[in-house]
Amino acid sequence: MKFALVIPDGVADEPQAVLGGKTPLQAANIPRMDEVARLGMVGRADHVPASMPSGSDVGTMSLFGYDPLEYHTGRAPLEAAAQGIELGPLDWCIRCNFVTVEDGRMRSFTAEQIPNDLARSLVERLQRDVCGDEHWKFYAGVSYRNLLVYRARGEAAPFGPQTSTTPPHDITDQLIETFLPSGPGSELLRDLMQRSQPVLAGSPENLARAASGVHTATQTWLWGQGQRPAFKSFLERFGQRGAVITAVDLLRGLGRLLGWNVIEVEGATGYLDTDYAAKGRAAIQALKDDVTDFIVVHVEATDEASHEGKADEKVRALEQIDQHIVGPLHEYLKSQGDYRLLVCPDHPTFLRTKTHSHGYVPFAMCGTGVIPDQSPTYDEVVAAKSPTVLDRGCELMPLLFRKS
């Protein structure tokens, strides 16, 4: 049997006045996801424990069947794994965004999707001009998503469980002062963030971009710190050989730590302009080989649309996922015999707040051995009426693989 999971990141939402009082899932034309619901079952799952911050690092870990209360150590270590950065037992990794702060407010948590080449040159400047001792090392990632590693070198690190940071995408247009790092080691993070400002202001390329009217990088924002996690492999845990398609380092890293194959797709951007059809084709191709039992297709576009407060773009991204990923993937699975297909986001991301949120997300599952529950569509309202409720979202993956 072959298995597939499609993750429309952050798709769960509230009714929107601009969408006629419907949620994006209700407003979008998604006949293929609705077919999954009709042929199978709809339920709801809570992937983010109330005691933890809502984000894809927590949500996808739960979605993949690993209780974040047991396994989660931080977001940045997962992204480090994606880049092949080895962390020692005492080392810490920290996510480093390039952001735009104007008049003390977070104007853009991406520095308006800063280009890769400019971001890389700024990382080089930061390493040269800001990291003045052997403990710190910046690593360039993709666009605004970069990393900072604290090498303990046998010494106790200054950070701990009480070190608190805030994702910049949760504070768009808000004053940043009350969201700066706090707790053990926070003074080091604050100092690095402050010292980054003149370094970025001294980049001619960065200044030229700002002069063109773009919200370009004014400083770094440090968050998502953590140490190296320890996972039992997915094959050992569930008996399935997995692969993941994503444009986001977080998912790449988590996949590698679980022992999955990470499939790179040309045109996959992690943004609204991603090549949905290429992802769909790559998923089908992966299932044709003899080494993939379970394919995961992650799409970040729906989450990005929420962070930008764009209801129309969220609906459009949903329709692209439905047409170019869920549809072709489901048709292929049906043609091959026994299968199961699951559609589920990792967490809600509300257009109203432009942030990740806690709460239940709807899922739809169909295929061999899945008993239909007469669900007409895939959306939050139908899911809220379902008797299938998983308070611990990590129980969804065992449900997918449960023997008929």
Side-chain angles (χ1 to χ4, degrees):
M1 186 184 294
K2 295 285 188 176
F3 301 87
L5 164 62
V6 178
I7 307 173
D9 196 300
V11 76
D13 212 322
E14 306 165 315
Q16 306 294 310
V18 297
L19 299 178
K22 298 179 179 180
T23 70
L25 275 171
Q26 291 178 300
N29 180 26
I30 49 171
R32 293 91 177 172
M33 295 187 199
D34 289 342
E35 181 186 39
V36 175
R38 287 195 305 273
L39 294 179
M41 61 179 293
V42 170
R44 52 196 168 118
D46 188 351
H47 292 300
V48 182
S51 62
M52 303 184 74
S54 182
S56 292
D57 50 336
V58 176
T60 53
M61 190 175 293
S62 171
L63 183 51
F64 295 160
Y66 293 78
D67 187 345
L69 291 171
E70 178 181 355
Y71 292 98
H72 186 269
T73 64
R75 179 182 181 117
L78 304 179
E79 298 186 0
Q83 294 195 39
I85 301 169
E86 292 290 337
L87 298 178
L90 299 178
D91 295 344
W92 283 70
C93 189
I94 304 154
R95 172 71 176 269
C96 173
N97 273 47
F98 285 123
V99 301
T100 307
V101 176
E102 295 176 343
D103 300 322
R105 292 184 183 274
M106 182 67 65
R107 294 303 185 189
S108 175
F109 67 90
T110 70
E112 206 159 319
Q113 299 292 325
I114 188 169
N116 288 340
D117 55 348
L118 176 54
R120 186 169 294 275
S121 73
L122 294 180
V123 166
E124 292 172 355
R125 280 177 172 265
L126 288 169
Q127 184 60 38
R128 183 188 67 213
D129 298 340
V130 173
C131 291
D133 62 48
E134 63 181 355
H135 292 295
W136 294 108
K137 169 73 173 174
F138 280 100
Y139 290 87
V142 177
S143 183
Y144 63 92
R145 309 177 181 102
N146 304 281
L147 295 175
L148 175 62
V149 172
Y150 181 89
R151 297 292 184 188
R153 304 195 183 283
E155 304 174 3
F159 313 107
Q162 286 73 45
T163 305
S164 177
T165 59
T166 301
H169 50 255
D170 282 353
I171 57 173
T172 298
D173 295 328
Q174 298 185 56
L175 291 169
I176 68 170
E177 183 62 34
T178 58
F179 298 103
L180 293 170
S182 62
S186 61
E187 67 282 355
L188 296 175
L189 301 181
R190 287 176 180 238
D191 179 61
L192 286 168
M193 290 163 64
Q194 185 173 17
R195 288 164 57 198
S196 72
Q197 295 173 15
V199 174
L200 271 55
S203 163
E205 298 85 0
N206 199 38
L207 289 174
R209 188 166 184 259
S212 69
V214 174
H215 281 143
T216 198
T218 62
Q219 68 170 75
T220 59
W221 187 270
L222 302 177
W223 63 286
Q225 70 284 345
Q227 294 179 280
R228 182 182 66 190
F231 291 104
K232 181 183 291 185
S233 77
F234 197 82
L235 180 60
E236 183 180 0
R237 185 173 175 84
F238 294 109
Q240 308 294 335
R241 299 164 298 175
V244 60
I245 296 169
T246 181
V248 176
D249 270 351
L250 165 64
L251 273 292
R252 291 189 184 104
L254 187 52
R256 289 199 171 106
L257 289 169
L258 297 182
W260 292 351
N261 180 28
V262 177
I263 301 171
E264 300 296 341
V265 175
E266 186 175 355
T269 66
Y271 193 60
L272 296 162
D273 61 353
T274 197
D275 191 333
Y276 301 90
K279 283 190 170 185
R281 292 191 297 269
I284 292 170
Q285 189 60 43
L287 289 174
K288 290 180 178 179
D289 64 39
D290 294 326
V291 296
T292 302
D293 306 309
F294 175 50
I295 185 67
V296 175
V297 187
H298 169 261
V299 183
E300 181 76 0
T302 39
D303 192 62
E304 291 288 337
S306 273
H307 286 311
E308 296 181 2
K310 297 178 179 178
D312 56 339
E313 291 288 359
K314 191 166 187 177
V315 168
R316 188 180 72 81
L318 254 173
E319 292 176 345
Q320 294 293 308
I321 294 168
D322 186 78
Q323 178 181 353
H324 297 295
I325 298 175
V326 174
L329 184 55
H330 195 188
E331 289 304 311
Y332 173 77
L333 287 167
K334 287 188 289 186
S335 73
Q336 298 302 303
D338 291 343
Y339 77 95
R340 283 185 193 157
L341 171 61
L342 171 65
V343 179
C344 186
D346 45 356
H347 54 72
T349 305
F350 293 154
L351 285 157
R352 172 176 55 85
T353 61
K354 302 181 182 179
T355 66
H356 298 159
S357 177
H358 291 79
Y360 292 91
V361 296
F363 69 84
M365 182 193 307
C366 72
T368 307
V370 178
I371 300 173
D373 65 1
Q374 310 305 312
S375 293
T377 56
Y378 171 57
D379 56 61
E380 298 89 346
V381 174
V382 171
K385 299 175 182 177
S386 170
T388 305
V389 182
L390 302 179
D391 295 325
R392 297 175 69 244
C394 57
E395 296 174 350
L396 181 56
M397 196 55 50
L399 183 63
L400 176 67
F401 296 131
R402 184 176 61 184
K403 295 187 183 301
S404 303

